[in-house]
Coordinates of all heavy atoms in Angstrom, one line a residue:
M21 N -7.1 -10.3 3.4 CA -5.8 -9.6 3.5 C -5.9 -8.7 4.8 O -6.9 -8.0 5.0 CB -5.6 -8.8 2.3 CG -4.3 -8.0 2.3 SD -4.1 -7.2 0.7 CE -2.9 -6.1 1.1
Q22 N -4.9 -8.7 5.6 CA -4.8 -7.9 6.8 C -3.7 -6.8 6.6 O -2.6 -7.2 6.2 CB -4.5 -8.7 8.0 CG -4.5 -7.9 9.3 CD -4.2 -8.8 10.5 OE1 -3.9 -10.0 10.4 NE2 -4.2 -8.2 11.7
I23 N -4.0 -5.6 7.0 CA -3.1 -4.5 6.8 C -2.4 -4.4 8.2 O -3.0 -4.1 9.2 CB -3.7 -3.2 6.4 CG1 -4.4 -3.3 5.1 CG2 -2.7 -2.1 6.4 CD1 -5.2 -2.1 4.7
K24 N -1.1 -4.5 8.3 CA -0.3 -4.4 9.5 C 0.3 -2.9 9.5 O 0.8 -2.5 8.5 CB 0.8 -5.4 9.6 CG 0.2 -6.8 9.8 CD 1.2 -7.8 9.9 CE 0.6 -9.2 10.1 NZ 1.5 -10.2 10.2
M25 N 0.1 -2.3 10.7 CA 0.5 -0.9 10.7 C 1.4 -0.6 11.9 O 1.2 -1.2 13.0 CB -0.7 0.0 10.8 CG -1.6 -0.1 9.6 SD -3.0 1.1 9.7 CE -3.5 1.1 11.4
D26 N 2.2 0.5 11.8 CA 2.8 1.1 12.9 C 2.3 2.6 12.9 O 2.3 3.2 11.9 CB 4.3 1.2 12.7 CG 5.0 -0.2 12.8 OD1 4.4 -1.1 13.4 OD2 6.1 -0.4 12.2
V27 N 1.9 3.1 14.1 CA 1.5 4.5 14.2 C 2.4 5.1 15.3 O 2.5 4.7 16.4 CB 0.0 4.6 14.6 CG1 -0.4 6.1 14.8 CG2 -0.9 3.8 13.7
K28 N 3.1 6.2 14.8 CA 4.0 7.0 15.7 C 3.4 8.3 16.0 O 2.7 8.9 15.1 CB 5.4 7.1 15.2 CG 6.0 5.7 15.0 CD 7.4 5.8 14.3 CE 8.0 4.4 14.1 NZ 9.2 4.5 13.4
D29 N 3.7 8.9 17.1 CA 3.2 10.2 17.5 C 4.3 11.1 18.0 O 5.2 10.6 18.8 CB 2.1 10.0 18.7 CG 1.5 11.2 19.2 OD1 1.6 12.3 18.6 OD2 0.9 11.1 20.3
N30 N 4.3 12.3 17.6 CA 5.1 13.4 18.2 C 4.3 14.6 18.4 O 3.1 14.6 18.2 CB 6.4 13.6 17.4 CG 6.2 14.2 16.1 OD1 5.3 15.0 15.9 ND2 7.0 13.9 15.1
D31 N 4.9 15.7 18.9 CA 4.2 16.9 19.2 C 3.4 17.5 18.0 O 2.3 18.1 18.2 CB 5.1 18.0 19.8 CG 5.6 17.6 21.1 OD1 5.0 16.7 21.8 OD2 6.6 18.2 21.5
K32 N 3.9 17.3 16.8 CA 3.4 18.0 15.6 C 2.5 17.1 14.7 O 1.7 17.6 14.0 CB 4.5 18.6 14.8 CG 5.2 19.7 15.6 CD 6.2 20.4 14.8 CE 6.9 21.5 15.6 NZ 7.9 22.2 14.8
A33 N 2.8 15.8 14.7 CA 2.2 14.9 13.7 C 2.1 13.5 14.1 O 2.9 13.0 15.0 CB 2.9 15.1 12.4
Y34 N 1.3 12.7 13.4 CA 1.3 11.3 13.5 C 1.9 10.8 12.2 O 1.8 11.3 11.1 CB -0.2 10.7 13.5 CG -0.9 11.1 14.8 CD1 -1.8 12.1 14.8 CD2 -0.7 10.4 16.0 CE1 -2.6 12.4 15.9 CE2 -1.4 10.7 17.1 CZ -2.4 11.7 17.1 OH -3.1 12.1 18.2
T35 N 2.7 9.7 12.3 CA 3.2 9.0 11.2 C 2.7 7.6 11.2 O 2.8 6.9 12.2 CB 4.8 9.0 11.2 OG1 5.3 10.3 11.3 CG2 5.3 8.4 10.0
V36 N 2.2 7.2 10.0 CA 1.6 5.8 9.9 C 2.4 5.1 8.8 O 2.6 5.6 7.7 CB 0.1 5.8 9.5 CG1 -0.4 4.4 9.3 CG2 -0.7 6.6 10.5
H37 N 2.9 3.9 9.1 CA 3.5 3.0 8.1 C 2.6 1.8 8.0 O 2.4 1.1 9.1 CB 4.9 2.6 8.5 CG 5.9 3.7 8.4 ND1 6.3 4.4 9.5 CD2 6.5 4.3 7.3 CE1 7.1 5.4 9.1 NE2 7.3 5.3 7.7
A38 N 2.1 1.5 6.8 CA 1.2 0.3 6.6 C 1.8 -0.6 5.6 O 2.1 -0.1 4.5 CB -0.2 0.8 6.2
D39 N 1.9 -1.9 5.8 CA 2.4 -2.8 4.9 C 1.3 -3.3 4.0 O 0.3 -3.8 4.4 CB 2.9 -4.1 5.6 CG 4.2 -3.8 6.4 OD1 4.9 -2.8 6.1 OD2 4.6 -4.6 7.3
I40 N 1.4 -2.9 2.7 CA 0.5 -3.4 1.7 C 1.3 -3.9 0.4 O 1.2 -3.2 -0.6 CB -0.6 -2.3 1.3 CG1 0.1 -1.0 1.1 CG2 -1.6 -2.2 2.4 CD1 -0.9 0.1 0.6
P41 N 2.0 -5.0 0.6 CA 2.9 -5.4 -0.5 C 2.1 -5.9 -1.7 O 1.0 -6.3 -1.6 CB 3.6 -6.6 0.1 CG 2.7 -7.1 1.2 CD 2.0 -5.9 1.7
G42 N 2.7 -5.6 -2.9 CA 2.1 -6.1 -4.1 C 1.0 -5.2 -4.7 O 0.4 -5.4 -5.7
V43 N 0.7 -4.1 -4.0 CA -0.4 -3.2 -4.4 C 0.3 -2.2 -5.4 O 1.3 -1.6 -5.0 CB -1.0 -2.5 -3.2 CG1 -2.0 -1.4 -3.7 CG2 -1.7 -3.5 -2.3
K44 N -0.4 -2.0 -6.5 CA 0.1 -1.0 -7.5 C -0.7 0.3 -7.3 O -1.9 0.2 -6.9 CB 0.0 -1.5 -8.9 CG 0.9 -2.7 -9.2 CD 0.8 -3.1 -10.6 CE 1.7 -4.3 -10.8 NZ 1.6 -4.8 -12.2
K45 N -0.1 1.4 -7.6 CA -0.9 2.7 -7.6 C -2.0 2.8 -8.6 O -3.0 3.3 -8.4 CB 0.1 3.8 -7.8 CG 1.0 4.1 -6.7 CD 1.8 5.4 -7.1 CE 2.8 5.8 -6.0 NZ 3.5 7.0 -6.4
E46 N -1.8 2.1 -9.8 CA -2.8 2.2 -10.8 C -3.2 0.8 -11.2 O -2.4 -0.1 -11.2 CB -2.2 3.0 -12.0 CG -1.9 4.4 -11.7 CD -1.3 5.1 -12.9 OE1 -1.3 4.4 -14.0 OE2 -0.8 6.2 -12.8
K47 N -4.4 0.7 -11.7 CA -4.9 -0.6 -12.2 C -4.4 -0.8 -13.6 O -4.5 0.1 -14.4 CB -6.4 -0.6 -12.1 CG -7.0 -2.0 -12.4 CD -8.5 -1.9 -12.2 CE -9.1 -3.2 -12.6 NZ -10.6 -3.2 -12.5
E48 N -3.9 -2.0 -13.9 CA -3.5 -2.3 -15.3 C -4.4 -3.3 -15.9 O -4.7 -4.3 -15.4 CB -2.1 -2.9 -15.2 CG -1.5 -3.3 -16.5 CD -0.1 -3.9 -16.4 OE1 0.6 -3.6 -15.4 OE2 0.3 -4.7 -17.2
E49 N -4.9 -2.9 -17.1 CA -5.8 -3.8 -17.8 C -5.2 -3.9 -19.3 O -4.8 -2.9 -19.8 CB -7.2 -3.1 -17.9 CG -7.9 -3.2 -16.6 CD -9.3 -2.7 -16.6 OE1 -9.9 -2.7 -17.8 OE2 -9.9 -2.3 -15.6
K50 N -5.3 -5.1 -19.8 CA -4.9 -5.3 -21.2 C -6.1 -5.7 -22.0 O -6.8 -6.6 -21.6 CB -3.8 -6.4 -21.2 CG -2.5 -6.0 -20.5 CD -1.5 -7.0 -20.5 CE -0.3 -6.6 -19.7 NZ 0.8 -7.6 -19.7
E51 N -6.2 -5.1 -23.2 CA -7.3 -5.4 -24.0 C -7.1 -6.8 -24.7 O -5.9 -7.1 -25.0 CB -7.4 -4.3 -25.1 CG -8.0 -3.0 -24.6 CD -8.3 -2.0 -25.7 OE1 -8.7 -2.4 -26.8 OE2 -8.0 -0.8 -25.4
G52 N -8.2 -7.5 -24.9 CA -8.1 -8.8 -25.6 C -7.7 -9.9 -24.6 O -7.6 -11.0 -25.1
E53 N -7.4 -9.7 -23.3 CA -7.1 -10.7 -22.4 C -8.3 -11.3 -21.8 O -9.3 -10.6 -21.4 CB -6.2 -10.2 -21.3 CG -4.7 -10.6 -21.4 CD -3.9 -10.1 -20.3 OE1 -4.4 -9.6 -19.3 OE2 -2.7 -10.2 -20.4
K54 N -8.3 -12.6 -21.5 CA -9.4 -13.3 -20.8 C -8.8 -14.0 -19.7 O -7.8 -14.7 -19.8 CB -10.1 -14.3 -21.8 CG -11.2 -15.0 -21.2 CD -12.0 -15.8 -22.2 CE -11.2 -16.9 -22.8 NZ -12.0 -17.8 -23.6
V55 N -9.3 -13.8 -18.5 CA -8.9 -14.5 -17.3 C -9.4 -15.9 -17.2 O -10.6 -16.1 -17.3 CB -9.3 -13.7 -16.0 CG1 -8.9 -14.5 -14.7 CG2 -8.8 -12.3 -16.0
L56 N -8.5 -16.9 -17.2 CA -8.8 -18.3 -17.1 C -9.0 -18.8 -15.7 O -9.8 -19.6 -15.4 CB -7.8 -19.1 -17.8 CG -7.6 -18.8 -19.4 CD1 -6.6 -19.7 -20.0 CD2 -9.0 -19.0 -20.1
R57 N -8.1 -18.2 -14.8 CA -8.2 -18.6 -13.4 C -7.6 -17.5 -12.6 O -6.6 -16.8 -13.0 CB -7.3 -19.9 -13.2 CG -7.3 -20.4 -11.8 CD -6.5 -21.6 -11.7 NE -6.6 -22.2 -10.4 CZ -7.3 -23.2 -10.0 NH1 -8.1 -23.8 -10.9 NH2 -7.3 -23.7 -8.8
S58 N -8.3 -17.1 -11.4 CA -7.8 -16.1 -10.6 C -7.9 -16.5 -9.2 O -9.1 -16.7 -8.7 CB -8.6 -14.7 -10.9 OG -8.2 -13.7 -10.0
E59 N -6.8 -16.6 -8.5 CA -6.8 -17.0 -7.0 C -6.3 -15.9 -6.2 O -6.4 -16.0 -4.9 CB -6.0 -18.2 -6.8 CG -6.5 -19.4 -7.6 CD -5.6 -20.7 -7.4 OE1 -4.5 -20.5 -6.9 OE2 -6.1 -21.8 -7.8
R60 N -5.7 -14.8 -6.7 CA -5.2 -13.7 -5.9 C -6.4 -12.7 -5.6 O -7.4 -12.7 -6.3 CB -4.1 -13.0 -6.7 CG -3.0 -13.9 -6.9 CD -1.8 -13.2 -7.5 NE -2.2 -12.6 -8.8 CZ -1.4 -11.8 -9.5 NH1 -0.2 -11.5 -9.1 NH2 -1.8 -11.3 -10.6
Y61 N -6.2 -12.0 -4.5 CA -7.2 -11.1 -4.0 C -7.2 -9.8 -4.8 O -6.1 -9.2 -5.1 CB -6.9 -10.7 -2.5 CG -7.9 -9.7 -2.0 CD1 -9.1 -10.1 -1.6 CD2 -7.5 -8.3 -2.0 CE1 -10.0 -9.1 -1.1 CE2 -8.5 -7.4 -1.5 CZ -9.7 -7.8 -1.1 OH -10.6 -6.9 -0.6
Y62 N -8.4 -9.4 -5.3 CA -8.6 -8.2 -6.0 C -9.7 -7.4 -5.3 O -10.7 -8.1 -4.9 CB -8.9 -8.4 -7.5 CG -7.8 -8.9 -8.3 CD1 -7.7 -10.3 -8.4 CD2 -6.8 -8.1 -8.8 CE1 -6.6 -10.8 -9.1 CE2 -5.8 -8.6 -9.5 CZ -5.7 -10.0 -9.7 OH -4.6 -10.5 -10.4
G63 N -9.7 -6.1 -5.2 CA -10.8 -5.4 -4.6 C -10.2 -4.4 -3.7 O -9.1 -4.0 -3.7
T64 N -11.1 -3.9 -2.8 CA -10.7 -2.8 -1.9 C -10.7 -3.4 -0.5 O -11.3 -4.4 -0.2 CB -11.8 -1.7 -1.9 OG1 -13.1 -2.2 -1.6 CG2 -11.9 -1.0 -3.3
I65 N -9.8 -2.8 0.3 CA -9.7 -3.2 1.7 C -9.5 -1.9 2.5 O -8.9 -0.9 2.0 CB -8.5 -4.1 1.9 CG1 -8.5 -4.7 3.3 CG2 -7.2 -3.5 1.5 CD1 -7.6 -5.9 3.5
S66 N -9.9 -1.8 3.7 CA -9.7 -0.6 4.5 C -9.4 -1.0 5.9 O -9.6 -2.1 6.3 CB -10.9 0.3 4.4 OG -12.0 -0.4 5.0
R67 N -8.9 -0.1 6.6 CA -8.5 -0.2 8.0 C -8.8 1.1 8.7 O -8.3 2.2 8.2 CB -7.1 -0.7 8.2 CG -6.5 -0.7 9.6 CD -6.3 -2.1 10.1 NE -6.0 -2.1 11.5 CZ -4.9 -2.5 12.0 NH1 -4.0 -2.9 11.2 NH2 -4.7 -2.5 13.3
G68 N -9.5 1.1 9.8 CA -9.8 2.4 10.5 C -9.3 2.4 11.9 O -9.1 1.3 12.5
F69 N -9.0 3.5 12.4 CA -8.6 3.7 13.8 C -8.7 5.1 14.2 O -8.8 6.0 13.4 CB -7.1 3.2 14.1 CG -6.1 3.9 13.2 CD1 -5.4 5.0 13.7 CD2 -5.8 3.4 11.9 CE1 -4.5 5.7 12.9 CE2 -4.8 4.1 11.1 CZ -4.2 5.2 11.7
S70 N -8.8 5.4 15.5 CA -9.0 6.7 16.1 C -7.7 7.3 16.6 O -6.8 6.5 17.1 CB -10.0 6.7 17.2 OG -11.2 6.2 16.7
L71 N -7.5 8.6 16.5 CA -6.3 9.3 17.0 C -6.8 10.3 18.0 O -8.0 10.8 17.9 CB -5.6 10.0 15.9 CG -5.0 9.1 14.8 CD1 -4.5 9.9 13.6 CD2 -3.9 8.2 15.3
E72 N -6.0 10.6 19.0 CA -6.4 11.5 20.0 C -6.6 13.0 19.6 O -7.4 13.7 20.1 CB -5.3 11.5 21.2 CG -5.3 10.2 21.9 CD -4.3 10.2 23.0 OE1 -3.8 11.2 23.4 OE2 -4.0 9.0 23.5
S73 N -5.8 13.4 18.6 CA -5.8 14.8 18.1 C -6.5 14.9 16.8 O -6.4 13.9 16.0 CB -4.4 15.4 18.0 OG -3.8 15.4 19.3
D74 N -7.1 16.0 16.5 CA -7.6 16.2 15.1 C -6.5 16.4 14.1 O -5.4 16.9 14.5 CB -8.5 17.5 15.1 CG -9.8 17.3 15.9 OD1 -10.2 16.1 16.0 OD2 -10.4 18.3 16.3
I75 N -6.7 16.0 12.9 CA -5.7 16.0 11.8 C -6.0 17.2 10.9 O -7.1 17.5 10.6 CB -5.8 14.7 11.0 CG1 -5.5 13.5 11.9 CG2 -4.8 14.8 9.9 CD1 -4.2 13.5 12.6
D76 N -4.9 17.9 10.5 CA -5.0 18.9 9.5 C -5.0 18.3 8.1 O -3.9 18.0 7.5 CB -3.8 19.9 9.6 CG -3.9 21.1 8.7 OD1 -4.8 21.1 7.8 OD2 -3.0 21.9 8.7
D77 N -6.2 18.0 7.6 CA -6.3 17.3 6.3 C -5.6 18.0 5.1 O -5.1 17.3 4.3 CB -7.8 17.1 5.9 CG -8.5 16.3 6.9 OD1 -7.9 15.6 7.7 OD2 -9.8 16.3 6.8
S78 N -5.6 19.3 5.1 CA -5.0 20.1 4.0 C -3.5 19.9 3.9 O -2.9 20.1 2.9 CB -5.4 21.5 4.1 OG -4.8 22.1 5.3
A79 N -2.9 19.5 5.1 CA -1.4 19.4 5.1 C -0.9 17.9 5.1 O 0.2 17.6 5.1 CB -0.8 20.1 6.3
A80 N -1.9 17.0 5.1 CA -1.5 15.5 5.1 C -0.8 15.1 3.8 O -1.1 15.6 2.8 CB -2.8 14.7 5.3
E81 N 0.1 14.2 4.0 CA 0.9 13.7 2.8 C 0.9 12.1 2.8 O 0.8 11.6 3.9 CB 2.3 14.2 2.9 CG 2.5 15.6 2.8 CD 4.0 16.1 2.9 OE1 4.8 15.2 2.8 OE2 4.2 17.3 3.1
A82 N 0.9 11.6 1.7 CA 1.0 10.1 1.5 C 2.0 9.7 0.5 O 2.2 10.4 -0.5 CB -0.4 9.5 1.1
K83 N 2.8 8.7 0.8 CA 3.8 8.2 -0.1 C 3.7 6.6 -0.1 O 3.4 6.0 0.9 CB 5.2 8.5 0.4 CG 5.5 10.0 0.4 CD 6.9 10.2 1.0 CE 7.2 11.7 1.3 NZ 8.4 11.9 2.0
Y84 N 4.0 6.0 -1.3 CA 4.0 4.6 -1.3 C 5.2 4.1 -2.1 O 5.5 4.5 -3.2 CB 2.7 4.1 -2.1 CG 2.6 2.6 -2.2 CD1 2.3 1.8 -1.2 CD2 2.9 2.0 -3.5 CE1 2.2 0.4 -1.3 CE2 2.8 0.6 -3.6 CZ 2.5 -0.2 -2.5 OH 2.4 -1.5 -2.6
A85 N 6.0 3.3 -1.4 CA 7.2 2.7 -2.0 C 7.5 1.4 -1.4 O 7.4 1.2 -0.2 CB 8.4 3.7 -1.8
D86 N 7.9 0.4 -2.2 CA 8.4 -0.9 -1.7 C 7.4 -1.6 -0.9 O 7.7 -2.2 0.1 CB 9.8 -0.8 -1.0 CG 10.8 -0.2 -1.8 OD1 10.8 -0.5 -3.1 OD2 11.7 0.5 -1.4
G87 N 6.1 -1.4 -1.2 CA 5.1 -2.1 -0.5 C 4.6 -1.5 0.8 O 3.9 -2.1 1.6
V88 N 5.1 -0.3 1.1 CA 4.8 0.4 2.4 C 4.2 1.7 2.1 O 4.7 2.5 1.4 CB 6.1 0.6 3.3 CG1 5.7 1.3 4.5 CG2 6.7 -0.8 3.6
L89 N 3.0 1.9 2.6 CA 2.3 3.2 2.5 C 2.7 4.0 3.8 O 2.6 3.6 4.9 CB 0.8 3.0 2.5 CG -0.1 4.3 2.6 CD1 0.1 5.1 1.4 CD2 -1.5 3.9 2.8
E90 N 3.2 5.3 3.5 CA 3.6 6.2 4.6 C 2.6 7.3 4.6 O 2.5 8.0 3.6 CB 5.0 6.6 4.5 CG 5.4 7.6 5.6 CD 6.8 8.1 5.4 OE1 7.0 8.9 4.5 OE2 7.7 7.7 6.2
L91 N 2.0 7.6 5.7 CA 1.1 8.8 5.9 C 1.7 9.7 6.9 O 2.1 9.3 8.0 CB -0.3 8.3 6.4 CG -1.0 7.3 5.5 CD1 -2.3 6.9 6.3 CD2 -1.3 7.8 4.2
M92 N 1.8 11.0 6.5 CA 2.2 12.0 7.5 C 1.0 12.8 7.8 O 0.4 13.5 6.9 CB 3.3 12.9 6.8 CG 4.6 12.2 6.5 SD 5.4 11.5 8.0 CE 5.9 12.9 8.8
L93 N 0.5 12.8 9.0 CA -0.8 13.4 9.4 C -0.5 14.5 10.4 O -0.5 14.2 11.6 CB -1.7 12.3 10.0 CG -1.9 11.1 9.1 CD1 -2.7 10.0 9.8 CD2 -2.6 11.5 7.8
P94 N -0.3 15.7 10.0 CA -0.1 16.8 10.9 C -1.3 17.0 11.8 O -2.4 17.0 11.4 CB 0.2 18.0 10.0 CG 0.4 17.5 8.7 CD -0.3 16.2 8.6
K95 N -1.0 17.4 13.1 CA -2.1 17.7 14.0 C -2.5 19.1 13.8 O -1.7 20.0 13.4 CB -1.5 17.5 15.5 CG -1.1 16.1 15.8 CD -0.6 16.0 17.2 CE -0.1 14.7 17.6 NZ 0.4 14.6 18.9
K96 N -3.8 19.3 14.0 CA -4.3 20.7 13.9 C -3.8 21.5 15.1 O -3.7 20.9 16.2 CB -5.9 20.7 14.0 CG -6.5 20.4 12.7 CD -8.0 20.6 12.7 CE -8.6 20.3 11.4 NZ -10.1 20.5 11.4
A97 N -3.5 22.7 14.9 CA -3.1 23.6 15.9 C -4.1 23.7 17.0 O -5.3 23.9 16.6 CB -2.7 25.0 15.4
T98 N -3.8 23.5 18.2 CA -4.8 23.7 19.3 C -4.7 25.1 19.9 O -3.7 25.7 19.9 CB -4.5 22.6 20.4 OG1 -3.2 22.9 20.9 CG2 -4.6 21.2 19.9
N99 N -5.8 25.5 20.3 CA -5.9 26.8 21.0 C -5.6 26.6 22.4 O -6.4 26.2 23.2 CB -7.3 27.4 20.8 CG -7.6 27.8 19.4 OD1 -6.7 28.0 18.6 ND2 -8.8 27.8 19.0
A100 N -4.3 26.7 22.8 CA -3.9 26.5 24.1 C -4.5 27.5 25.0 O -4.7 28.6 24.7 CB -2.3 26.5 24.2
A101 N -4.8 27.1 26.2 CA -5.4 28.0 27.2 C -4.4 29.1 27.5 O -3.2 29.0 27.6 CB -5.7 27.2 28.5
K102 N -5.0 30.3 27.5 CA -4.2 31.5 27.7 C -4.4 32.0 29.1 O -5.5 32.1 29.6 CB -4.6 32.6 26.7 CG -3.6 33.7 26.7 CD -4.0 34.7 25.6 CE -3.0 35.8 25.5 NZ -3.4 36.7 24.4
Q103 N -3.3 32.2 29.9 CA -3.5 32.7 31.2 C -3.4 34.2 31.3 O -2.4 34.8 30.7 CB -2.3 32.1 32.1 CG -2.4 32.4 33.5 CD -1.4 31.6 34.4 OE1 -0.5 31.0 33.8 NE2 -1.5 31.8 35.6
L104 N -4.3 34.8 31.9 CA -4.3 36.2 32.1 C -4.1 36.6 33.5 O -4.6 36.0 34.4 CB -5.7 36.8 31.6 CG -6.1 36.5 30.2 CD1 -7.6 37.0 29.9 CD2 -5.2 37.2 29.2
T105 N -3.4 37.7 33.7 CA -3.2 38.2 35.0 C -4.1 39.3 35.3 O -4.3 40.2 34.5 CB -1.7 38.7 35.1 OG1 -0.8 37.7 34.8 CG2 -1.4 39.2 36.5
V106 N -4.8 39.2 36.4 CA -5.8 40.2 36.8 C -5.1 41.2 37.7 O -4.6 40.8 38.8 CB -7.1 39.6 37.4 CG1 -8.0 40.6 37.8 CG2 -7.7 38.6 36.4
H107 N -5.2 42.5 37.4 CA -4.6 43.5 38.3 C -5.6 44.1 39.2 O -6.7 44.4 39.0 CB -3.9 44.6 37.5 CG -2.8 44.0 36.6 ND1 -1.5 43.8 37.1 CD2 -2.8 43.7 35.3 CE1 -0.8 43.3 36.1 NE2 -1.5 43.3 35.0

């Protein structure tokens, strides 16, 4: 299974949209059921990539709806160079 993504950037945050159709938030198990045949993929999958700015993990948000995972990844505040005037 391949995860297809769009990554957008603005001054304050990155937004990631990842297509993961058919994935449920929770695993469903039924007692007394026995699997006779299984051809669908089960398990974990991951995808990694690098971003230019550090992320503020404490303010990150994730939503999942209609097979699309949306991540809002705010950038950490940078300490912009401060210009001083010497008298």
Side-chain angles (χ1 to χ4, degrees):
M21 184 175 159
Q22 182 182 6
I23 299 173
K24 295 182 179 180
M25 301 186 318
D26 294 335
V27 181
K28 297 177 183 176
D29 178 16
N30 65 35
D31 292 341
K32 296 182 180 183
Y34 295 101
T35 303
V36 179
H37 289 102
D39 290 341
I40 48 175
V43 175
K44 294 181 181 180
K45 288 184 181 181
E46 298 177 9
K47 187 177 179 183
E48 181 181 330
E49 292 183 19
K50 295 182 181 176
E51 289 187 34
E53 255 186 9
K54 178 171 68 170
V55 176
L56 300 177
R57 183 179 184 99
S58 180
E59 296 179 347
R60 298 185 301 172
Y61 177 82
Y62 293 93
T64 59
I65 188 166
S66 64
R67 171 108 189 243
F69 57 94
S70 298
L71 299 169
E72 291 180 15
S73 300
D74 290 335
I75 301 301
D76 182 358
D77 296 348
S78 64
E81 297 179 13
K83 298 176 187 174
Y84 180 72
D86 300 326
V88 178
L89 174 66
E90 178 182 71
L91 304 175
M92 297 297 292
L93 307 172
K95 296 177 183 179
K96 279 189 179 176
T98 59
N99 295 331
K102 188 174 184 180
Q103 184 175 4
L104 299 174
T105 303
V106 178
H107 299 278

